[in-house]
């Protein structure tokens, strides 16, 4: 079945938190225009019209991200969904998702997200001292308590949500504590991504940015905990591990960073500008605008094709690596972390160390199913 994925930034880089490691603050600082403000109703409607023009039948995946997308306001989202319902033919199925820090999620927001079957990604880095250390309010206060309130609202409304954790140097040193945090709070679906240094200074060292060795060590230890708990009936979906197990079962990964090549995400900024990837919403990769171009024109645009070609290049470190056929070289943006230390790659270390156990988990899952 054909599909199309678009990622919309309805509030551009605007945010109600000041996270110490925010990758989008880093990206937007490198542009001529740091923030494009709030997306207009007209541009939002054009996004829908262009997407339906490109996809007359199939699955349309619409994700909202930021900055903080909820700053566009609940009326924006109500109008977006209403217009989409009015325009969408029976041959197209729309799936919504949103990544949020949870700071404005109250009962009304949660009921809306549940009613329209949004998959909610909630940013939460673990215990209070990890969360509040890096995810700070503009006045310097913490965000932990408010995010847990959002969890309660989402659960009460019956909204589907998962947890997105940015793994820092601090939390990477405590894999068991992070696992216990997920179990204690009944978080059954999590995605853990490494904290990255800025694009233009990948060797910047601070108290929260990961080193390759710390990331590799965490992966090995956390996977050992995850597998042991899985056998005991205490399964938590960890996206990276689930993908490696899927691949061991002969299936394709759903995570783009494991595909070996970049694919177009069609990231749409608040002014309608389109870019190939959330990590690279930079002036040099602006492909055009939905207000002026169709998705087919945007795909053929020189910046898009240049980005896809660059993402497909195999780096020298990968050419003889036995793990390459599994990880594909990893996400292009993460490579600045992976190859920071000469002669060491955390993905290779993890995959070579845990290969047999990954295959064992795959057999266990197949037998259980």
């Amino acid at each position: 079945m054909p599909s199309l994925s678009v990622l919309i930034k309805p509030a551009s880089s605007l945010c109600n938190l000041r996270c110490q490691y925010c990758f989008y603050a880093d990206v937007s600082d490198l542009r001529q225009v740091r923030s494009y403000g709030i997306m207009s109703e007209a541009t939002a409607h054009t996004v829908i019209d262009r997407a339906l023009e490109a996809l007359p039948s199939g699955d349309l995946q619409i994700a909202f991200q930021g900055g903080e997308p909820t700053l566009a306001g609940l009326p924006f989202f109500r109008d977006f969904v209403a217009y989409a319902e009015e325009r969408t033919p029976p041959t197209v199925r729309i799936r919504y998702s949103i990544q949020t820090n949870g700071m404005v999620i109250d009962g009304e927001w949660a009921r809306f997200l549940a009613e329209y079957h949004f998959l909610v990604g909630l940013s939460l880095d673990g215990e209070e001292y990890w969360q509040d250390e890096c995810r700070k309010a503009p006045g310097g206060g913490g965000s932990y308590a408010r995010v847990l309130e959002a969890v309660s609202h989402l659960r009460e409304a019956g909204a589907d949500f998962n947890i997105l954790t940015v793994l820092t140097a601090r939390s990477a040193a405590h894999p068991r504590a992070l696992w216990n945090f997920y179990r204690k709070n009944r978080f059954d679906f999590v995605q853990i991504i490494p904290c990255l240094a800025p694009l233009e200074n990948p060797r910047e060292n601070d108290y929260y940015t990961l080193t390759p060795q710390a990331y590799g060590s965490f992966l090995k230890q956390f996977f050992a905990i995850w597998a042991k708990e899985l056998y005991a009936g205490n399964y938590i979906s960890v996206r990276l591990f689930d993908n490696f197990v899927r691949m061991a079962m002969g299936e394709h990964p759903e995570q783009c960073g494991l595909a070996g090549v970049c694919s177009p995400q069609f990231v749409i900024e608040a002014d309608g500008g389109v870019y190939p990837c959330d990590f690279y919403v930079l002036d040099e990769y602006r492909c055009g605008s939905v207000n002026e171009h169709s998705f087919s024109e945007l795909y053929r645009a020189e910046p898009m094709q240049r980005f896809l070609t660059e993402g497909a290049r195999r780096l020298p470190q990968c050419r003889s690596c036995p793990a390459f056929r599994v990880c594909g070289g990893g996400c292009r943006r993460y490579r600045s972390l992976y190859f920071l230390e000469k002669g060491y790659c955390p993905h290779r270390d993890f995959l070579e160390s845990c290969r047999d156990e990954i295959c064992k988990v795959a057999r266990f899952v197949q037998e259980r199913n």
Side-chain angles (χ1 to χ4, degrees):
M1 179 180 292
S3 64
L4 173 66
S5 298
V6 296
L7 194 159
I8 302 170
K9 293 184 175 290
S12 191
S13 62
L14 300 175
C15 192
N16 48 5
L17 289 182
R18 298 294 182 268
C19 301
Q20 302 297 302
Y21 48 62
C22 179
F23 85 87
Y24 206 64
D26 171 44
V27 167
S28 59
D29 281 343
L30 298 175
R31 302 188 309 219
Q32 288 189 357
V33 178
R34 190 180 190 283
S35 173
Y36 293 98
I38 303 298
M39 180 176 285
S40 70
E41 180 182 285
T43 296
H45 291 183
T46 300
V47 170
I48 297 167
D49 291 338
R50 294 288 194 187
L52 294 175
E53 175 188 39
L55 187 77
S57 65
D59 283 334
L60 176 57
Q61 313 275 348
I62 298 180
F64 296 93
Q65 212 161 303
E68 174 49 42
T70 59
L71 294 184
L74 190 50
F76 170 91
F77 284 88
R78 290 194 186 279
D79 176 80
F80 189 100
V81 170
Y83 186 79
E85 285 193 335
E86 174 189 324
R87 300 286 294 175
T88 303
T91 53
V92 174
R93 178 173 59 177
I94 298 182
R95 297 177 183 270
Y96 294 109
S97 63
I98 185 170
Q99 184 65 44
T100 175
N101 59 31
M103 298 300 287
V104 305
I105 301 298
D106 56 12
E108 186 179 10
W109 263 103
R111 288 188 292 272
F112 166 81
L113 295 169
E115 179 180 358
Y116 292 100
H117 307 290
F118 274 69
L119 175 60
V120 182
L122 194 62
S123 299
L124 183 60
D125 288 350
E127 294 287 2
E128 185 170 6
Y129 44 87
W130 292 331
Q131 173 79 6
D132 289 350
E133 178 178 58
C134 288
R135 293 187 179 270
K136 298 180 181 295
S143 57
Y144 178 81
R146 183 65 192 86
V147 178
L148 288 193
E149 288 180 16
V151 168
S152 297
H153 289 305
L154 292 169
R155 281 179 168 154
E156 184 176 354
D160 291 330
F161 71 95
N162 55 38
I163 299 298
L164 174 70
T165 294
V166 175
L167 189 73
T168 66
R170 301 287 187 96
S171 55
H174 304 282
R176 170 55 73 176
L178 186 59
W179 175 269
N180 290 343
F181 171 78
Y182 294 145
R183 284 293 311 279
K184 175 183 67 177
N185 289 282
R186 297 180 290 115
F187 294 143
D188 296 329
F189 296 89
V190 304
Q191 181 180 0
I192 303 171
I193 61 175
C195 180
L196 299 171
L199 266 170
E200 292 198 334
N201 189 9
R203 293 188 177 274
E204 180 175 301
N205 189 18
D206 48 48
Y207 70 92
Y208 49 81
T209 302
L210 276 176
T211 65
Q213 293 280 351
Y215 185 47
S217 176
F218 171 84
L219 288 176
K220 291 184 290 184
Q221 293 182 67
F222 199 77
F223 179 79
I225 297 168
W226 179 80
K228 183 178 180 180
E229 295 283 350
L230 169 67
Y231 300 141
N234 301 319
Y235 171 68
I236 291 178
S237 172
V238 177
R239 188 182 184 193
L240 180 64
F241 299 161
D242 285 348
N243 270 269
F244 283 136
V245 170
R246 286 178 60 164
M247 296 170 76
M249 295 165 61
E251 301 176 15
H252 291 291
E254 56 78 27
Q255 194 168 343
C256 68
L258 297 177
V261 294
C262 293
S263 58
Q265 291 184 332
F266 294 110
V267 181
I268 305 174
E269 254 288 2
D271 69 332
V274 179
Y275 305 80
C277 173
D278 195 28
F279 284 124
Y280 294 91
V281 185
L282 301 166
D283 294 338
E284 65 189 280
Y285 291 117
R286 186 180 174 101
C287 302
S289 169
V290 291
N291 293 314
E292 301 169 6
H293 305 97
S294 67
F295 274 96
S296 60
E297 290 173 323
L298 293 164
Y299 178 76
R300 294 194 302 269
E302 187 277 333
M304 176 72 76
Q305 293 304 310
R306 172 163 38 91
F307 178 84
L308 298 178
T309 299
E310 292 168 353
R313 290 174 184 158
R314 186 182 299 192
L315 298 182
Q317 301 94 318
C318 297
R319 288 173 185 159
S320 60
C321 177
F324 178 79
R325 64 183 181 85
V326 180
C327 80
C331 170
R332 171 181 172 177
R333 178 64 178 91
Y334 292 174
R335 291 171 191 167
S336 62
L337 166 65
Y338 295 162
F339 305 130
L340 195 58
E341 297 176 8
K342 187 176 181 180
Y344 178 80
C345 170
H347 256 198
R348 176 174 183 172
D349 184 13
F350 166 70
L351 288 168
E352 290 187 334
S353 300
C354 300
R355 177 185 54 203
D356 292 344
E357 193 64 33
I358 291 171
C359 293
K360 181 181 175 182
V361 171
R363 290 192 298 271
F364 175 82
V365 171
Q366 288 176 315
E367 292 169 359
R368 189 179 60 177
N369 294 339

